[in-house]
Structure formats: C-alpha cells, structure tokens
C-alpha cells in the first residue's frame, strides 16, 4: 500500500501533475486550497478547488481532502479572518466550501497506521480542552467535532500570545511545529502542512510537508517507509 501526501495547495495546480504521474493507493491533500502569496488569481483558485472536489468525487476511496486555516476563515460561522482573506470573493468561496462539507468531502484529520495527518497538528493540550477522553479513535473524535462544533477550531490565544499560532493551546489548523513538538499526542507520527518548508525533512515524530511552493516535494509512505519525492518524478 502506498500513500502520498501533498502540502498546502493555495490555488496551485501542481497536485494534478503529481496525481497523474505517481502511482498510489491514497492521496492526502493537507488543506489551504485558498489564499496565496503567488500570482494565482481568485478565479484560478476557485477553478482549481472545483477540480479538486471533482477529483475527490471521482476517486472517493483514494482521495482525502483535509481542511486548513485559509479554508476555515471562509466558513459562514467562523467570524474571524486571517492574512490573505479575499473579502470580495468570500461568497463565491463559501458557495464551494459549504456544499463540499455537507457532502462529506472535506475533513479535519486522517489516520493511517501510526501516521496522523492534519493541516497543522494535534496537541495534547488542545485535545484535552475539547473534551477528548480517549474512548474513541482520535481521528473520528476530531472529524465528528468539526461537524458538530466547527468553532472548536478557531484561532486561540495561549500563554505565548503568538499571532502566528505558536502555542500548545492552538487547534489542528493553527499550531506551529515548535509548539507541536513540545506537546505531541502519543503513538503517532504527525504529518502537517501550514508552515512553509524549503525542503521536506523526515524526522521521527513530525513531518512538515508544506513544500509545493518551494521545492515541489511531497511525501510518500510505502508499507510504513517514508520517502521524499518531487512533482513529476514519482512513479
């Protein structure tokens, strides 16, 4: 079994090249389909997301679409915005995101074997704050919570008062790698996006993969063995 996971999309179309040139059983997109620092128009971001949703529908058993902070602030219930928010396109983006959520095409986290995928990471502190007791699998708990109470994933201000989310209190769409390292939940290697990387580095506990906009690298896991590959190179 082979899984590949791609970093933050931000309107980029590199995912199409990767999924058509790489053999895999499962592909995980780590979120942040909208907002950009690149030269990608809002119209292109919208069109790209429509293609991603269509690809998910056509390959529902092998495509996992996670949710990021740059998707979250377009929720009708979010009532907060982050850098890059495209106010003039808010309604158009909402009109794509909400039907996808209602159809169950987007989720907050995914677990395969001992790998836990989320946009930014899951800390013990945050899990405790939202009432996790360990009685259900952590991915089911988090995904159910996202459906029942999406406000549980809002930006939170912890004792670091970091405007960038560098705090163990932060949610799975906001926590930064340094805080995540200090408060990891047991039993998982966490694969995360959210924080741009020049290159993907394989470590024992956290694998930050937000590199599509830099090195064009993505993560491959085959029978538990991790490898870093590059867009257009994997087979």
């Amino acid at each position: 079994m082979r899984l590949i996971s791609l970093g933050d999309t931000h309107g980029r179309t590199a995912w199409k090249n990767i999924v058509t040139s790489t053999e895999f059983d499962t592909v995980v997109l780590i979120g942040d389909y909208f907002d950009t620092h690149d030269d990608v128009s809002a119209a292109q971001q919208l069109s790209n997301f429509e293609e991603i949703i269509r690809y998910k529908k056509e390959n529902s058993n092998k495509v996992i679409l996670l949710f990021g902070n740059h998707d979250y602030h377009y929720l009708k219930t979010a009532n907060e915005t982050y850098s890059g928010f495209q106010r003039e396109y808010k309604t158009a983006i909402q009109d794509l995101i909400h039907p996808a959520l209602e159809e169950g095409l987007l989720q907050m986290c995914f677990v395969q074997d001992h790998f836990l995928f989320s946009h930014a990471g899951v800390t013990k502190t945050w899990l405790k704050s939202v009432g996790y007791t360990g009685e259900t699998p952590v991915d089911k708990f988090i995904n159910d919570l996202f459906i029942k109470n999406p406000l549980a994933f809002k930006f939170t201000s912890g004792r670091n008062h970091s405007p960038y989310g560098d705090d163990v209190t932060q949610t799975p769409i906001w926590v930064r790698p340094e805080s995540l390292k200090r408060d990891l939940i047991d039993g998982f290697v966490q694969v995360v996006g959210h924080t741009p990387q020049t290159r993907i580095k394989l470590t024992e506990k956290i694998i930050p993969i937000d590199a599509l906009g830099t090195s064009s690298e993505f993560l491959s896991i085959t029978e538990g063995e991790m490898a870093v590959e590059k867009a257009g190179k994997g087979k």
Side-chain angles (χ1 to χ4, degrees):
M1 295 291 289
R2 187 184 189 206
L3 177 150
I4 63 172
S5 188
L6 284 56
D8 301 23
T9 304
H10 290 299
R12 303 183 187 100
T13 59
W15 67 272
K16 291 190 283 186
N17 181 33
I18 294 170
V19 301
T20 56
S21 64
T22 308
E23 295 179 2
F24 59 87
D25 299 286
T26 304
V27 57
V28 180
L29 273 64
I30 213 79
D32 273 8
Y33 307 101
F34 296 100
D35 305 339
T36 181
H37 294 295
D38 299 337
D39 185 20
V40 183
S41 70
Q44 290 171 314
Q45 294 171 48
L46 288 161
S47 176
N48 193 46
F49 185 66
E50 287 182 301
E51 288 191 65
I52 289 170
I53 292 299
R54 184 159 54 249
Y55 182 68
K56 164 69 174 177
K57 288 180 176 180
E58 293 170 352
N59 302 274
S60 59
N61 293 331
K62 63 189 300 186
V63 179
I64 305 295
L65 303 182
L66 301 185
F67 211 65
N69 57 308
H70 284 279
D71 313 311
Y72 180 88
H73 64 178
Y74 291 104
L75 292 181
K76 295 175 182 178
T77 56
N79 294 321
E80 61 184 18
T81 61
Y82 318 131
S83 65
F85 184 74
Q86 301 168 94
R87 194 170 303 279
E88 63 270 38
Y89 294 98
K90 176 181 72 172
T91 300
I93 294 172
Q94 288 176 339
D95 287 346
L96 292 181
I97 284 179
H98 279 275
L101 285 169
E102 289 165 6
E103 291 180 54
L105 303 176
L106 299 162
Q107 61 195 74
M108 192 56 72
C109 73
F110 173 70
V111 168
Q112 180 166 298
D113 301 326
H114 63 287
F115 294 95
L116 189 157
F117 300 80
S118 67
H119 181 66
V122 182
T123 68
K124 290 179 180 178
T125 298
W126 178 79
L127 268 182
K128 183 178 179 180
S129 75
V130 293
Y132 183 62
T133 63
E135 295 177 359
T136 58
V138 68
D139 54 333
K140 175 174 171 49
F141 175 85
I142 292 173
N143 289 327
D144 287 349
L145 179 65
F146 183 41
I147 294 169
K148 296 173 185 175
N149 182 20
L151 294 183
F153 298 85
K154 289 168 67 83
F155 184 94
T156 62
S157 182
R159 54 180 173 267
N160 291 347
H161 301 288
S162 168
Y164 305 106
D166 194 6
D167 202 292
V168 296
T169 61
Q170 281 290 357
T171 79
I173 60 172
W174 262 111
V175 66
R176 297 291 177 178
E178 288 305 312
S179 290
L180 181 60
K181 286 177 187 176
R182 296 194 299 270
D183 200 33
L184 284 165
I185 60 176
D186 298 326
F188 293 104
V189 176
Q190 294 206 37
V191 179
V192 302
H194 185 50
T195 301
Q197 306 294 309
T198 304
R199 304 290 298 270
I200 295 176
K201 296 179 181 179
L202 302 179
T203 62
E204 291 184 1
K205 295 295 185 180
I206 303 172
I207 315 294
I209 64 165
D210 184 9
L212 284 185
T214 53
S215 62
S216 300
E217 293 174 338
F218 62 96
L219 179 67
S220 171
I221 304 173
T222 304
E223 303 298 337
E225 293 294 323
M226 297 182 292
V228 177
E229 299 192 10
K230 198 164 186 175
K233 301 296 184 182
K235 291 294 181 182

